[in-house]
Amino acid sequence: MKRPQTVRSRGQRAGLDLDQIVETAQSFEVEDLTMQSLAKAMQVDRKALNYYVKDREALLAILAHKAFADEFSPDAIRAAEDWRDASRIYASSFLERALSLGKLSEHLWFDEPLTTWSLEANESLFARFFEAGFTDEAATRLVTMLSTLCLGHARDVIQATGSMEKPRPKALRAALERLNPEKFANLLRILDHGYDTYGDEQIDFSIDVFLVGAEAVLKRDLRR
């Protein structure tokens, strides 16, 4: 009797795995990376890549998440003096990693509750919040808020890198020039001050406000 043939998927037939795909993709500049260019570099049919990676956007997301998580160490968070210090360390590490990604930072997203980018770092920060007396709901909202704050600032900084004039002031100035300035006295005054909302002072201010708000939440919950 003739033995039935085993049907293998395209990815299996090509002898690929996700680690190989990611390793090769990491050698490309973001703007040069396409599914076709990757397939050519790996000497496989483009369709073979789809067994593991749906499309270019999915591939860029994998690269961004991996590069981010690889260097996001929990050690300093564990050694922090208290939850406030832990929050600052977490924010600093998060921002540093996001900035190092450059254009890849655009492909970092919160796919799951909080994120799986660095489970150990998140676990360590949650532990510090729990020790301080935060409820699980408050800790969840605070870690999400802090991560979103840092990622947003990193994207702002990356977008502004190399610009003669920062994007927000430039856009505001262009809009006001087309309108009646008497109606926008406050915006014109703020624009003239030229506050830098892309530098360290901005993220430090944001984290200070975050900590004040978190402290208020903790005191409220402990009174209940």
Side-chain angles (χ1 to χ4, degrees), residues 127-190:
R128 305 315 303 270
F129 280 123
F130 179 76
E131 293 165 3
F134 286 94
T135 66
D136 286 346
E137 180 182 358
T140 300
R141 298 190 186 284
L142 287 169
V143 175
T144 301
M145 179 181 180
L146 187 59
S147 301
T148 304
L149 184 158
C150 292
L151 181 56
H153 183 73
R155 286 174 172 163
D156 268 0
V157 173
I158 292 167
Q159 183 186 32
T161 300
S163 301
M164 294 296 293
E165 185 177 8
K166 304 304 182 185
R168 276 192 296 273
K170 182 179 180 180
L172 179 57
R173 192 181 307 279
L176 291 175
E177 286 176 353
R178 298 192 299 268
L179 302 171
N180 180 359
E182 295 180 0
K183 295 175 60 177
F184 302 99
N186 290 294
L187 289 177
L188 284 168
R189 186 181 69 255
I190 294 299

Side-chain angles (χ1 to χ4, degrees), residues 11-76:
Q12 291 172 320
R13 185 166 59 245
L16 297 175
D17 61 44
L18 186 57
D19 288 340
Q20 290 175 319
I21 294 170
V22 169
E23 183 178 357
T24 306
Q26 287 173 323
S27 66
F28 283 81
E29 295 295 331
V30 174
E31 56 270 21
D32 297 329
L33 180 60
T34 65
M35 296 298 284
Q36 186 60 49
S37 64
L38 180 60
K40 183 177 180 180
M42 300 189 74
Q43 298 183 332
V44 298
D45 189 282
R46 175 179 170 176
K47 293 179 180 178
L49 299 178
N50 296 130
Y51 177 78
Y52 290 102
V53 184
K54 178 182 177 182
D55 53 26
R56 180 176 184 271
E57 288 303 307
L59 177 60
L60 290 172
I62 291 172
L63 293 177
H65 291 185
K66 178 173 173 51
F68 181 92
D70 280 351
E71 301 297 330
F72 200 176
S73 171
D75 295 340

